[in-house]
Amino acid sequence: MSEKRKQEIQRIKELESINLARDEIRDLVIDTKKEVEKDNDLLAAQINDELNKRGIKSIDIVGAIGAGKTAILEKITEKLSKKYRILVICGDITTRVDADRIEKHNAETVQINTGRECALNAYHINQVIKNKDLFDFDLIFVENVGNLICPSDFKLGTDKRITVVSITEGEWVIEKHPMLFKMSDIAVINKIDLLERLGTNIDKMIKDACGFNPDIKVITTSAKTGENIDTLIEALEL
Amino acid sequence: MEKELKKIEKVISNLELNSQAQIQELLKNFLKTHLKKSKIDNFIGDYPTFIEPVYLNVNVKIGDDVLLGPNVYIGKNTEIKNYVEISNSIIFDNALIGENVKLNNCIIGKNTLLNCENINIDNCVLVGNVKTKEDVYRIMYKFK
């Protein structure tokens, strides 16, 4: 057996032993995960109480990268900023591109750059709201990091959650991401202005969303043309 | 911003027993009035979490899994070790913040080295060079 091959086998044995060691701390890992989720839920409930006490409505928007979360928020803030004082908390790995876009529509913004983290959590939101003068706002939107998976692990303490998908992601996108739709109040299927060209089966998408969560409201929109944005605003029940 | 920082630096270099109210006011005023926009594009290190506004001066080194903000100013050449959390605070130039140190509503003086780990500090001015938690309590100036 060559020296190189012997070294490779030795390395594999080392890796196997590391994995065995990891199995020993499995209980600790599971307990820690449970505690993190429990703490997040408690903090989320506390945030919701605080906002309700002050009469502030709060809505969390999640969805994949490029689904149209920011574009929808631009349309919503444009229409609502005359009536409500709006704060938008934008989550992104880096940059404040989204916050800059939304700020143009008369909403105050706070950008959170999560670095390595794939979703916002209740601690992030708590850090923002406890350092803001909440008397200045009637309505808070939280735009989560573009992701259809991780946000389902973390409640943020908002009144409602909207999950945005677009027809460019394909008609299986809802079927493949049940968790978020189970915990959302509104599902938005965006970019319907492209329907004729793409031929995506929207009926299947609606059926999937309602199948996972019979209480979910499904709204098809085009943030580009503004189609059904009013219907979405009505569904927010502000 | 520079002018206001110099004013704060002068006050914390001559701390007196009755400086509490003045420090509270200076810190609050600086964070509210002079720190409206973030500047986070020039640090050295990994991918921290920033809640704006966070202002990083030049050559700031940031470790792994760090949470900065909201309302944080960090001066030149300062080093932030792993797992640190800082909010509502001013850290002056050439400082060092040790691993898993949590600061809220604090002012850390120029050249201050917090060479210790795992400690939560609120509403304090810290100036000096410390290696243990006990040392931190010794140099701590509580203003609230």
Side-chain angles (χ1 to χ4, degrees):
Chain A
M1 194 186 292
S2 73
E3 197 53 39
K4 195 182 168 199
R5 184 64 191 140
K6 276 181 192 167
Q7 280 175 4
E8 281 171 4
I9 290 170
Q10 184 57 33
R11 179 70 190 135
I12 289 165
K13 279 182 183 167
E14 276 173 23
L15 286 173
E16 279 173 354
S17 69
I18 289 167
N19 282 335
L20 281 174
R22 278 186 188 145
D23 284 347
E24 284 168 17
I25 60 161
R26 197 171 154 75
D27 286 345
L28 176 66
V29 173
I30 292 169
D31 286 346
T32 310
K33 186 174 180 283
K34 278 183 188 167
E35 264 177 47
V36 168
E37 284 172 5
K38 194 176 140 201
D39 288 352
N40 185 81
D41 288 357
L42 282 171
L43 192 54
Q46 192 186 308
I47 291 168
N48 196 251
D49 283 348
E50 177 71 20
L51 295 177
N52 282 338
K53 205 166 71 188
R54 290 166 180 271
I56 301 170
K57 300 265 185 190
S58 53
I59 292 143
D60 164 26
I61 301 185
V62 296
I65 300 161
K69 297 180 294 299
T70 315
I72 285 173
L73 259 174
E74 280 181 286
K75 290 282 179 197
I76 292 177
T77 48
E78 190 185 323
K79 284 177 184 276
L80 292 180
S81 61
K82 286 183 195 100
K83 198 172 168 192
Y84 299 97
R85 294 165 303 162
I86 304 173
L87 172 68
V88 183
I89 302 169
C90 299
D92 265 305
I93 300 294
T94 183
T95 78
R96 87 179 307 283
V97 173
D98 290 358
D100 286 341
R101 280 172 62 185
I102 292 164
E103 229 167 47
K104 286 178 188 155
H105 303 281
N106 298 324
E108 190 169 327
T109 58
V110 173
Q111 180 71 53
I112 302 177
N113 288 138
T114 57
R116 285 180 179 278
E117 292 180 47
C118 52
L120 293 176
N121 58 48
Y123 189 72
H124 292 138
I125 305 304
N126 193 45
Q127 285 292 93
V128 173
I129 66 164
K130 81 177 183 192
N131 288 296
K132 276 270 168 201
D133 196 348
L134 292 178
F135 288 110
D136 292 344
F137 305 103
D138 320 297
L139 181 57
I140 295 180
F141 287 100
V142 180
E143 185 190 344
N144 219 313
V145 179
N147 189 326
L148 273 177
I149 306 151
C150 312
S152 62
D153 283 338
F154 300 102
K155 290 179 187 166
L156 301 180
T158 51
D159 298 327
K160 282 192 194 315
R161 176 168 264 187
I162 304 174
T163 301
V164 181
V165 291
S166 65
I167 61 168
T168 55
E169 291 159 55
E171 60 221 31
W172 300 276
V173 65
I174 296 178
E175 188 184 357
K176 290 198 284 186
H177 299 90
M179 281 306 292
L180 267 177
F181 295 90
K182 281 180 186 169
M183 63 194 303
S184 294
D185 304 280
I186 300 168
V188 171
I189 301 172
N190 194 28
K191 303 190 187 177
I192 52 164
D193 50 299
L194 298 173
L195 188 58
E196 206 171 299
R197 187 158 283 243
L198 295 175
T200 312
N201 185 349
I202 285 200
D203 292 339
K204 173 185 163 39
M205 295 173 88
I206 296 170
K207 201 176 143 206
D208 286 343
C210 296
F212 292 135
N213 179 356
D215 298 325
I216 205 166
K217 288 179 190 165
V218 186
I219 300 165
T220 56
T221 61
S222 165
K224 193 175 179 183
T225 64
E227 191 177 342
N228 288 345
I229 295 294
D230 287 334
T231 317
L232 174 58
I233 290 172
E234 260 172 53
L236 299 179
E237 295 170 335
L238 297 172
Chain B
M1 183 189 261
E2 289 294 323
K3 202 176 150 193
E4 196 63 22
L5 285 168
K6 282 216 166 79
K7 200 168 148 189
I8 297 169
E9 215 176 337
K10 201 174 162 192
V11 173
I12 65 164
S13 62
N14 269 311
L15 284 170
E16 286 167 21
L17 280 174
N18 57 358
S19 304
Q20 276 104 336
Q22 190 191 8
I23 290 172
Q24 256 186 69
E25 192 54 39
L26 280 171
L27 179 60
K28 199 176 149 192
N29 178 52
F30 177 83
L31 298 177
K32 206 174 172 186
T33 319
H34 299 271
L35 197 74
K36 282 189 175 162
K37 288 279 174 192
S38 280
K39 189 177 186 311
I40 51 168
D41 54 355
N42 54 351
F43 68 93
I44 302 161
D46 211 339
Y47 296 93
T49 300
F50 293 113
I51 302 177
E52 68 178 10
V54 175
Y55 189 102
L56 304 180
N57 215 318
V58 294
N59 202 28
V60 173
K61 292 188 191 71
I62 303 177
D64 195 17
D65 220 347
V66 168
L67 173 60
L68 300 179
N71 309 318
V72 173
Y73 169 88
I74 299 183
K76 291 172 202 164
N77 310 318
T78 285
E79 183 174 357
I80 313 288
K81 295 277 193 183
N82 300 342
Y83 317 116
V84 167
E85 272 190 45
I86 307 175
S87 52
N88 302 305
S89 297
I90 300 172
I91 321 287
F92 280 98
D93 300 352
N94 309 319
L96 171 78
I97 311 298
E99 192 161 299
N100 195 24
V101 170
K102 194 172 168 185
L103 303 172
N104 177 46
N105 221 32
C106 288
I107 302 177
I108 310 297
K110 204 171 177 176
N111 304 322
T112 293
L113 307 177
L114 298 184
N115 242 325
C116 57
E117 296 177 0
N118 315 324
I119 182 166
N120 282 4
I121 310 166
D122 282 297
N123 311 315
C124 275
V125 176
L126 294 167
V127 183
N129 182 353
V130 298
K131 286 188 176 141
T132 63
K133 277 188 195 183
E134 288 69 32
D135 283 348
V136 173
Y137 296 122
R138 192 174 45 76
I139 65 163
M140 196 177 257
Y141 178 90
K142 273 262 180 197
F143 59 81
K144 200 174 172 184

